[in-house]
Amino acid sequence: MDNYHRKRILITGGAGFLGSHLCERLLKEGNDVVCLDNFFTGTKDNIIHLMDDHHFELLRHDVVNPLIIEVDEIYNLACPASPPHYQYNPIKTNKTSVMGAINMLGLAKRVKGKILQASTSEVYGDPAVHPQTEDYWGNVNPIGARSCYDEGKRCAETLFFDYYREHKLRIKVVRIFNTYGPNMHPHDGRVVSNFIIQALKGEDITIYGEGQQTRSFCYVDEMIDGFIRMMATDDSVTGPVNLGNPGEFTIKELAEKIVDITGSKSKLVYKPLPTDDPKQRQPDITLAKKTLGWEPVIKLEEGLVKTIAYFDDLIKEGRA
Ligand code: NAD
Ligand code: UDP
């Protein structure tokens, strides 16, 4: 692609798990990519292979501070995503979601660019409606340990829709359900990374509660495809749109699958359930199918094999 026709795309949180895959994919598609990150949970290791590409720029910046830059599109992913990471400094998590959204929406307004928000299934809280549809308003504790994240993300959605109504901004909101794959942080405390590392190291596998709570896991490549399709929709499409794999598993089933695939001798052990841990979660993706022609096809076992290979390498390199 010639330089005149290249789009310049800003990815906040670009050195994180999802952000790094998005940087790679958008570069491959012939765009100029500006990867912004404060490296709280992201790492240069995730993007080091992109550094020699002249169409890739890395910007150390914190989204709670305003930014002026010329771009055509913004993917706003900056925010710690795993419960231990987002609860480490809850006030900062909330500022990142809310002030980050204000700053990036302000930037999108200034440059008249399109902006996509990485929202979350956590806006549904511990859902009373199952599977979750976009018109469900959720069941969120506003003052609990998870609220810094859940309410921050809900407020960010509010800001996106107010900018849309007030300023006709071209917004795209996706609600991401649990996603897994290579480049996940080995110590993020999320269930897939914890169980795989425990299984590979022969350590006890820590199931919180009785392991009967459910989650639906989407492989990263398919999630990134959903983001790109959403950004490409015409201006009438704002979302929110659920993105996730509807295959629903109990946490105990996930542990058993990982033990099975790795051939591990690890034992399953039971630990207290964290407060406000959602009991069930499954996306209704009717809207994504209709609007984006998007539907995940990668089976959990298949995605786990690739993710296990990634963590196996990290362990061998002494990085996990
Ligand atoms: P991640 O922690 O790997 O990535 C987040 C990135 O944002 C990191 O690189 C981190 O350093 C950066 N960051 C954090 N605070 C920042 C700040 N103040 N300024 C600049 N950069 C900052 O998490 P992820 O799984 O890649 O998640 C990416 C986005 O997707 C997040 O917004 C998250 O809420 C959302 N999401 C992810 C999932 C999932 O299952 N992975 C599910 C729902 C929503
Ligand atoms: N979980 C678990 N053991 C772990 C980590 C997580 O049983 O070592 C459980 C957690 O309590 C939750 C589910 O797995 O019910 C998914 O947790 P995760 O932190 O990955 O994401 P969440 O969907 O809760 O944000």
Side-chain angles (χ1 to χ4, degrees), residues 94-106 115 117 151-167 169 171 173:
N94 209 297
K95 279 167 98 172
T96 295
S97 271
V98 176
M99 294 170 70
I102 291 171
N103 286 326
M104 290 308 122
L105 286 161
I115 179 164
Q117 168 67 356
E151 295 291 15
K153 288 284 187 180
R154 285 168 68 94
C155 184
E157 285 200 10
T158 306
L159 285 160
F160 268 69
F161 279 86
D162 283 333
Y163 267 78
Y164 168 68
R165 283 184 289 258
E166 289 288 305
H167 301 298
L169 208 68
I171 62 157
V173 176

Side-chain angles (χ1 to χ4, degrees), residues 99-168:
M99 294 170 70
I102 291 171
N103 286 326
M104 290 308 122
L105 286 161
L107 176 63
K109 180 173 168 242
R110 202 180 73 81
V111 298
K112 298 188 174 59
K114 276 199 263 190
I115 179 164
L116 178 142
Q117 168 67 356
S119 191
T120 170
S121 53
E122 299 287 340
V123 300
Y124 302 123
D126 189 6
V129 167
H130 193 74
Q132 291 78 57
T133 42
E134 290 85 353
D135 57 4
Y136 175 49
W137 290 354
N139 176 32
V140 175
N141 176 356
I143 57 168
R146 297 174 78 101
S147 317
C148 60
Y149 182 75
D150 302 7
E151 295 291 15
K153 288 284 187 180
R154 285 168 68 94
C155 184
E157 285 200 10
T158 306
L159 285 160
F160 268 69
F161 279 86
D162 283 333
Y163 267 78
Y164 168 68
R165 283 184 289 258
E166 289 288 305
H167 301 298
K168 310 276 174 289

Side-chain angles (χ1 to χ4, degrees), residues 186-187 189-208 251 254-255 258-259 262-271 308 311-312 315 320:
H187 306 298
R190 285 191 259 203
V191 69
V192 173
S193 42
N194 269 10
F195 285 3
I196 292 179
I197 291 174
Q198 289 162 344
L200 290 173
K201 290 188 169 177
E203 295 167 355
D204 289 346
I205 296 197
T206 53
I207 295 186
Y208 301 159
I251 293 306
L254 175 72
I258 291 173
V259 167
T262 53
S264 172
K265 301 238 173 337
S266 294
K267 291 196 307 294
L268 307 189
V269 298
Y270 294 85
K271 302 271 181 190
I308 289 166
F311 281 114
D312 198 31
I315 291 170

Side-chain angles (χ1 to χ4, degrees), residues 18 53 62 68 72 98 129 200 223 230-231 243 274 297 316:
L18 296 179
D53 189 322
D62 192 310
I68 295 187
D72 303 298
V98 176
V129 167
L200 290 173
M223 181 57 63
M230 182 65 176
M231 190 60 111
L243 293 180
V297 295
K316 285 183 184 134

Side-chain angles (χ1 to χ4, degrees), residues 5-46:
H5 290 100
R6 274 178 185 273
K7 265 190 290 196
R8 193 177 310 154
I9 304 180
L10 173 66
I11 304 173
T12 77
F17 162 47
L18 296 179
S20 56
H21 286 273
L22 185 59
C23 286
E24 187 172 316
R25 172 83 187 265
L26 289 172
L27 273 174
K28 258 193 206 133
E29 291 185 359
N31 301 290
D32 266 8
V33 170
V34 181
C35 166
L36 175 159
D37 212 291
N38 73 346
F39 299 110
F40 173 46
T41 56
T43 154
K44 283 187 191 154
D45 290 334
N46 284 341

